[in-house]
Amino acid sequence: MTDVLALIPAGIDTYRQPVVYMTEDCHICRAEGFVAQTRVRIDLRGRSIIAELNVVTKGAWLPSDHAALSMSAWTALAAREGDRGRFSHPEPAPSASQIRAKAYGARLTAADFTAIVQDTLAHRLSDLELAAFLTACTGDRLDEAETVALTRAMLEAGDRLDWGRARVLDKHCVGGLPGNRTSPIVVAIVAAAGEIIPKTSSRAITSPAGTADTMEVMTPVDLDEMAIRKVVEAEGGCVVWGGALNLSPADDHFIRIERPLDLDSTGQLVASILSKKAAVGSNHVLIDMPVGPTAKVRSHVAAAALGDRLVAVGHHFDLNVVLHVSDGSGPVGYGIGPALEAADVLSVLRREARAPQDLRARALDLAGGLLDIAAGTTGAGRGIAEAILDSGAAEAKFMAICDRQGGFHEPKEAPERAEVLAPHGGTLRAIDNRLIARIAKLAGAPRQKCAGVRLHARPGETLAPGQPMFTIHASTKGELAYSRAYAELHREVMTIAEGPP
Amino acid sequence: MTDVLALIPAGIDTYRQPVVYMTEDCHICRAEGFVAQTRVRIDLRGRSIIAELNVVTKGAWLPSDHAALSMSAWTALAAREGDRGRFSHPEPAPSASQIRAKAYGARLTAADFTAIVQDTLAHRLSDLELAAFLTACTGDRLDEAETVALTRAMLEAGDRLDWGRARVLDKHCVGGLPGNRTSPIVVAIVAAAGEIIPKTSSRAITSPAGTADTMEVMTPVDLDEMAIRKVVEAEGGCVVWGGALNLSPADDHFIRIERPLDLDSTGQLVASILSKKAAVGSNHVLIDMPVGPTAKVRSHVAAAALGDRLVAVGHHFDLNVVLHVSDGSGPVGYGIGPALEAADVLSVLRREARAPQDLRARALDLAGGLLDIAAGTTGAGRGIAEAILDSGAAEAKFMAICDRQGGFHEPKEAPERAEVLAPHGGTLRAIDNRLIARIAKLAGAPRQKCAGVRLHARPGETLAPGQPMFTIHASTKGELAYSRAYAELHREVMTIAEGPP
């Protein structure tokens, strides 16, 4: 039924998709009837993976009695040089038929979602099957009961932190606004007020920076549970990368497929947010929903529907969800990209005159909202938050958190820069979130920490003809040239209306 | 904006997905910010492809100043040793937003479908995007106007044959019944009656044999348009593989993604069938729809809905579609697998006493239906078809067609065989189409022409305890053992009821 081959690393990075390379004349390929793109099961010391087969021409680079594994396959199997893996045909994933049922419009049960989550984590579902599942959930195709079931399945598949406190605060932003890096400021203010706020953040997947990428410019974020506990016990808050913890681990798999497809599902989004929040052990969550034509939430109707679902599903997990709808018409602050956003964050915490006032105001709104939740007040929190920020207590708390996470570093400036000039004069009416994000990504963000875009004007301000609209920052001349060429081709990134503002 | 690297073949078969291998320290990876699983555009002499990037460890097997291409990428670019390709970031596929709209439930226009088909053929859509498109069309999510538009977009993207005749007949089976190999018999009878029937067939994708695989056991099927014209002009009919022609070429891409997902979309299925029939130049098409719990069409309600759509859409392309609903409760004939099915076909054509009577009856029904369409009669065709078969004229016509296609060969028997015995006595009530197909595939079908399953009993017949239910045929001992082990684990493939029939 199974057969054995020596395993070697292929030295090929296929990202998260496990791939196995076997030669066309290998005895297992011949006996088992494996052909290219077959899914193959490999067992080694109690672990097993399902990998996609790529067939290597005889004599190319792989001996016939060896199978080479992509980096992700090698890591998932915990293989070592000299290991011999057992090869077999995988059974179809048990949940494939549930995914099919969902594509036809069926309602799924709690057991169905558990099966899908388990098969996802065990790599038993192909990327195509995951794409079908996520497409079948698009829009409002998961109802409330299904959303609760999916959230629970995702939560129960991972670890849960417990802080032993009646009140653990948290915040989340539904995303889509470049530069909207309020978390480090909010955590600093709320922790300075004496509350507990263990914030885990994600790295960028399709955006120019995630909070974890921005924070990493200033301090280590890749902490394990023990290290996080030490930071939070000492300082009340942290801003760390959630990926080193096993919190709602299926979410990363879903996001990996969902983001390139740019599909949103209300149910998926709610399950993604709330399973992570419940897993991290928070019980009061303020959710920021920027609404705007190029933001993730595009209308107030959509925001209301998403908000209702978040609150309703939160009840099932003892999560008190409070909503904050904000303006999502354009980027926040001046910087887009990890180091440029970190500079904005520091500028606000340091109360500099040049600090972006919109970022400051948003952070105060959110910190105030959390302090209201904590004190049971309505509106009093914002003044307290402002006092904490203006007193320097938030800056001191932020530096203390960074010290506990492993030390603070000042963000560095990019070596390569180019200005993009206004084609004509007038009032800046709007900035396209998606285009400006793409320009920052082409410049190298978030892979190159210093790369991105610094805006010189904000909506409502006037621009003279030939005045710089923004500066592109990059770490290499190639990336700078590429991003700049794209920006020149897409001047509609900024809408400049002629005449008075 | 773009950069250049020397191209070499990687000697890796990734099936149809184009993959490019570049080293981690390659200057383009660094300058352009390419990381694993990025989609990369490669231009060479006016051709361009979008390939997925896999990053190779420095010093592994690829020089830093070279990019290696998977076989499909090498072929698609028509690359030659010494070529230098230009590398750049691809723009998102123009139709990606239409696919997203469909996932949210929007109706698509004719222009939208044309864009999706064009982007599919140009490899501008990723496999995930194609999976999202097909999932979004599942069930009845394409209406009639959308189905017409998709059919037209698929038809117009390829070539069209023109036979210069008012009446060109064709048949199609909606599939799902192992062993249901009527086409060679139907073509022989109808061509012997003096009609024109240029039949193109597909190879198996997820089934143990396609008509092209079965026919290939007996005669070459990989003919170009000129060769097909010669066969049809001389003999009135042919049974060839459609893949060498450029008829509705997007269909193959859709099927490649759709089949492993096992999703059916009425609109997709209708567009797939009718775009191919219109492209091949036929104008009267008899469509066989076997209905059964494990067939592709599972109920008469589903058959009626599919049939109505086929007839309605056919009108838009001057196709007279006639439906034939048949019993789809189990496999047809004794053999499942290319050579075993070919043996059944020959046995019917040769009027052998042991010939499978169900295959004979089905072929006569369909040939009779086509002769009725041709003559404008109702029911008279079957007697004529039977007379042609019984006279030996169909056998003679079949041998003449094979001679014209390149010569006839007798099917060969498999070297390895094993019987699977009835666990208890009783009446055989049902055979599970999907399980018996899987057993045949695990034995090596269709890759190994001689592999598959030969049934020893048909529903309604009685089996004694320990009597053989079927024999597995394989070309290697490994495949035989694997298929046999699966069959022993899945005795429910045959439902045997104790007591009288």
Side-chain angles (χ1 to χ4, degrees):
Chain A
M1 285 290 281
T2 58
D3 229 324
V4 167
L5 272 187
L7 303 177
I8 56 171
I12 298 179
D13 180 2
T14 56
Y15 192 53
R16 292 196 185 224
Q17 183 174 41
V19 175
V20 57
Y21 303 86
M22 293 161 74
T23 60
E24 56 192 341
D25 61 333
C26 136
H27 71 279
I28 294 186
C29 275
R30 297 169 64 102
E32 296 281 7
F34 289 153
V35 292
Q37 260 196 356
T38 302
R39 287 164 61 72
V40 179
R41 176 178 170 140
I42 312 171
D43 284 85
L44 177 67
R45 282 190 298 272
R47 288 174 189 254
S48 83
I49 60 166
I50 313 274
E52 182 184 305
L53 174 65
N54 282 188
V55 175
V56 179
T57 309
K58 188 175 156 179
W61 51 270
L62 183 64
S64 297
D65 51 351
H66 285 68
L69 300 180
S70 71
M71 288 179 191
S72 51
W74 186 259
T75 306
L77 267 185
R80 297 188 294 258
E81 207 76 50
D83 277 339
R84 293 168 62 81
R86 290 165 61 82
F87 287 74
S88 59
H89 286 268
E91 287 285 308
S95 65
S97 61
Q98 276 86 53
I99 292 175
R100 211 172 296 132
K102 190 72 216 167
Y104 284 98
R107 287 191 69 245
L108 298 186
T109 66
D112 294 338
F113 285 111
T114 300
I116 291 168
V117 166
Q118 294 300 333
D119 283 343
T120 299
L121 290 173
H123 296 278
R124 283 189 290 261
L125 291 167
S126 68
D127 283 1
L128 295 182
E129 286 167 323
L130 287 176
F133 173 57
L134 296 165
T135 304
C137 298
T138 300
D140 57 3
R141 295 215 176 97
L142 292 182
D143 66 19
E144 185 179 317
E146 288 179 297
T147 307
V148 170
L150 175 59
T151 306
R152 181 160 288 127
M154 290 170 72
L155 174 61
E156 289 178 353
D159 298 335
R160 290 186 76 160
L161 306 187
D162 183 352
W163 299 95
R165 301 285 193 110
R167 197 165 68 227
V168 180
L169 303 180
D170 209 340
K171 72 157 288 260
H172 183 84
C173 178
V174 170
L177 285 199
N180 192 16
R181 209 51 62 204
T182 55
S183 285
I185 306 170
V186 171
V187 167
I189 294 171
V190 171
E195 298 294 328
I196 302 294
I197 182 164
K199 177 87 184 93
T200 60
S201 300
S202 53
R203 295 187 191 278
I205 298 178
T206 57
S207 71
T211 293
D213 300 307
T214 297
M215 197 69 189
E216 198 171 33
V217 173
M218 301 177 279
T219 192
V221 295
D222 189 358
L223 277 62
D224 64 15
E225 187 185 330
M226 181 96 73
I228 291 170
R229 283 196 178 278
K230 283 189 188 159
V231 178
V232 174
E233 274 159 24
E235 301 299 341
C238 66
V239 186
V240 299
W241 177 51
L245 308 172
N246 186 37
L247 308 176
S248 188
D251 194 41
D252 292 351
H253 294 272
F254 294 152
I255 287 175
R256 171 175 68 90
I257 302 295
E258 200 173 52
R259 291 283 170 90
L261 291 175
D262 201 10
L263 291 174
D264 285 327
S265 151
T266 303
Q268 282 284 348
L269 185 58
V270 168
S272 167
I273 295 169
L274 297 187
S275 64
K276 281 266 201 271
K277 295 303 171 194
V280 85
S282 50
N283 45 37
H284 298 273
V285 185
L286 184 65
I287 295 183
D288 182 21
M289 289 196 285
V291 176
T294 59
K296 192 170 182 86
V297 181
R298 301 197 185 196
S299 72
H300 286 277
V301 173
L306 177 59
D308 288 349
R309 182 64 64 83
L310 281 162
V311 171
V313 174
H315 284 312
H316 290 265
F317 298 91
D318 295 325
L319 282 170
N320 172 29
V321 175
V322 179
L323 304 167
H324 177 80
V325 174
S326 62
D327 172 21
S329 60
V332 178
Y334 301 119
I336 298 163
L340 291 159
E341 294 178 23
D344 278 356
V345 165
L346 289 169
S347 188
V348 170
L349 285 168
R350 290 169 176 162
R351 293 92 66 208
E352 292 171 350
R354 64 180 180 93
Q357 294 306 306
D358 58 340
L359 178 64
R360 175 186 153 95
R362 282 170 179 272
L364 287 175
D365 287 345
L366 294 171
L370 282 166
L371 295 179
D372 275 338
I373 294 171
T377 53
T378 312
R382 198 183 193 280
I384 299 169
E386 192 159 12
I388 292 172
L389 181 61
D390 288 343
S391 71
E395 182 190 357
K397 176 57 79 178
F398 184 76
M399 298 309 285
I401 290 171
C402 288
D403 276 350
R404 295 275 178 184
Q405 288 191 199
F408 172 79
H409 314 280
E410 235 7 275
K412 288 202 180 63
E413 284 262 342
E416 304 291 340
R417 272 168 281 176
E419 290 177 340
V420 177
L421 309 180
H424 57 82
T427 304
L428 177 57
R429 292 279 185 221
I431 302 175
D432 186 305
N433 289 325
R434 289 162 199 252
L435 283 178
I436 199 78
R438 187 155 167 86
I439 292 167
K441 285 163 61 183
L442 292 175
R447 199 176 24 85
Q448 306 286 5
K449 295 278 182 215
C450 64
V453 166
R454 183 185 290 281
L455 305 172
H456 295 302
R458 308 213 28 89
E461 296 177 11
T462 51
L463 283 162
Q467 190 186 328
M469 298 193 294
F470 53 88
T471 302
I472 300 172
H473 291 232
S475 68
T476 67
K477 287 190 199 303
E479 285 162 313
L480 186 73
Y482 190 71
S483 171
R484 186 181 195 169
Y486 185 87
E488 299 289 352
L489 277 171
H490 292 89
R491 301 295 271 269
E492 72 274 21
V493 60
M494 289 197 171
T495 308
I496 302 170
E498 296 183 68
Chain B
M1 285 289 282
T2 57
D3 228 325
V4 167
L5 272 187
L7 303 178
I8 57 172
I12 298 179
D13 179 2
T14 56
Y15 193 53
R16 292 194 185 225
Q17 183 174 39
V19 175
V20 57
Y21 303 86
M22 293 162 73
T23 61
E24 55 191 345
D25 61 332
C26 135
H27 71 279
I28 294 186
C29 275
R30 296 167 65 101
E32 296 280 8
F34 289 153
V35 290
Q37 260 196 355
T38 304
R39 287 164 61 72
V40 178
R41 178 179 166 138
I42 313 170
D43 285 86
L44 178 67
R45 281 190 297 271
R47 289 174 189 253
S48 85
I49 61 166
I50 313 275
E52 181 184 306
L53 175 65
N54 282 189
V55 175
V56 179
T57 309
K58 187 175 155 181
W61 51 270
L62 182 64
S64 297
D65 51 351
H66 285 68
L69 300 180
S70 71
M71 288 180 191
S72 51
W74 186 260
T75 306
L77 267 185
R80 296 189 294 258
E81 208 76 50
D83 277 339
R84 294 167 61 82
R86 290 163 61 82
F87 287 74
S88 58
H89 286 267
E91 287 285 307
S95 65
S97 60
Q98 276 88 52
I99 291 175
R100 211 171 297 130
K102 190 72 215 168
Y104 285 98
R107 287 191 69 247
L108 299 185
T109 66
D112 295 337
F113 285 110
T114 300
I116 291 168
V117 166
Q118 294 300 332
D119 283 344
T120 299
L121 290 174
H123 296 278
R124 282 190 291 261
L125 291 167
S126 68
D127 284 0
L128 295 183
E129 286 167 323
L130 288 175
F133 173 56
L134 296 166
T135 305
C137 298
T138 299
D140 56 3
R141 296 215 174 97
L142 292 181
D143 67 17
E144 185 178 320
E146 288 179 296
T147 308
V148 170
L150 175 60
T151 306
R152 182 161 288 125
M154 291 171 70
L155 174 62
E156 289 178 352
D159 296 336
R160 290 187 76 160
L161 306 187
D162 183 350
W163 300 95
R165 300 286 194 109
R167 195 164 70 228
V168 180
L169 303 180
D170 209 339
K171 73 156 287 258
H172 182 84
C173 178
V174 170
L177 285 199
N180 192 16
R181 208 52 61 207
T182 54
S183 287
I185 306 169
V186 171
V187 167
I189 294 171
V190 171
E195 297 295 326
I196 300 295
I197 182 164
K199 177 86 185 92
T200 61
S201 300
S202 53
R203 294 188 191 278
I205 298 177
T206 58
S207 71
T211 293
D213 301 305
T214 296
M215 197 68 188
E216 198 170 33
V217 172
M218 300 177 281
T219 192
V221 295
D222 189 358
L223 276 63
D224 63 15
E225 186 185 331
M226 181 95 75
I228 291 171
R229 284 195 178 278
K230 282 189 187 157
V231 178
V232 175
E233 275 160 21
E235 301 299 339
C238 66
V239 186
V240 299
W241 178 52
L245 307 172
N246 186 37
L247 308 176
S248 188
D251 194 41
D252 291 351
H253 295 271
F254 294 151
I255 287 176
R256 171 175 70 88
I257 303 293
E258 199 172 52
R259 291 284 170 90
L261 292 175
D262 202 11
L263 290 174
D264 285 327
S265 151
T266 302
Q268 282 282 350
L269 185 59
V270 168
S272 166
I273 295 169
L274 297 187
S275 64
K276 281 267 200 268
K277 294 303 169 194
V280 84
S282 50
N283 45 37
H284 296 273
V285 185
L286 184 64
I287 295 184
D288 182 19
M289 289 197 284
V291 176
T294 59
K296 192 170 182 86
V297 181
R298 300 196 187 197
S299 72
H300 285 276
V301 173
L306 178 59
D308 288 350
R309 183 64 64 83
L310 281 163
V311 170
V313 175
H315 283 312
H316 291 263
F317 299 91
D318 294 325
L319 282 170
N320 172 30
V321 175
V322 178
L323 305 168
H324 177 79
V325 174
S326 61
D327 173 20
S329 60
V332 178
Y334 301 119
I336 299 164
L340 292 159
E341 295 178 22
D344 278 355
V345 164
L346 289 170
S347 189
V348 169
L349 286 167
R350 289 167 177 163
R351 292 94 64 209
E352 292 171 349
R354 64 181 180 94
Q357 294 306 307
D358 58 341
L359 179 64
R360 174 186 154 97
R362 282 170 178 271
L364 288 174
D365 287 346
L366 295 171
L370 282 166
L371 295 180
D372 275 338
I373 294 171
T377 53
T378 313
R382 197 182 193 280
I384 300 169
E386 192 160 11
I388 291 172
L389 180 62
D390 287 343
S391 71
E395 183 190 358
K397 176 56 78 176
F398 183 76
M399 298 308 285
I401 289 171
C402 289
D403 276 350
R404 293 275 178 184
Q405 288 191 198
F408 172 80
H409 313 281
E410 250 342 294
K412 286 202 181 63
E413 282 264 340
E416 305 292 337
R417 272 167 280 175
E419 290 178 341
V420 177
L421 309 181
H424 59 82
T427 305
L428 176 57
R429 293 278 185 220
I431 302 175
D432 186 304
N433 289 326
R434 287 162 200 249
L435 284 177
I436 199 78
R438 187 154 167 85
I439 293 166
K441 283 163 63 184
L442 293 175
R447 197 177 25 85
Q448 307 285 6
K449 295 279 183 214
C450 63
V453 166
R454 182 185 291 280
L455 305 172
H456 295 301
R458 306 211 30 89
E461 296 178 10
T462 52
L463 282 162
Q467 191 185 328
M469 298 192 295
F470 54 88
T471 301
I472 300 171
H473 291 230
S475 69
T476 67
K477 287 189 198 302
E479 285 162 312
L480 185 73
Y482 190 70
S483 172
R484 186 181 195 172
Y486 185 86
E488 298 290 351
L489 277 171
H490 292 89
R491 303 295 273 271
E492 71 274 22
V493 61
M494 289 197 171
T495 307
I496 303 171
E498 297 185 65

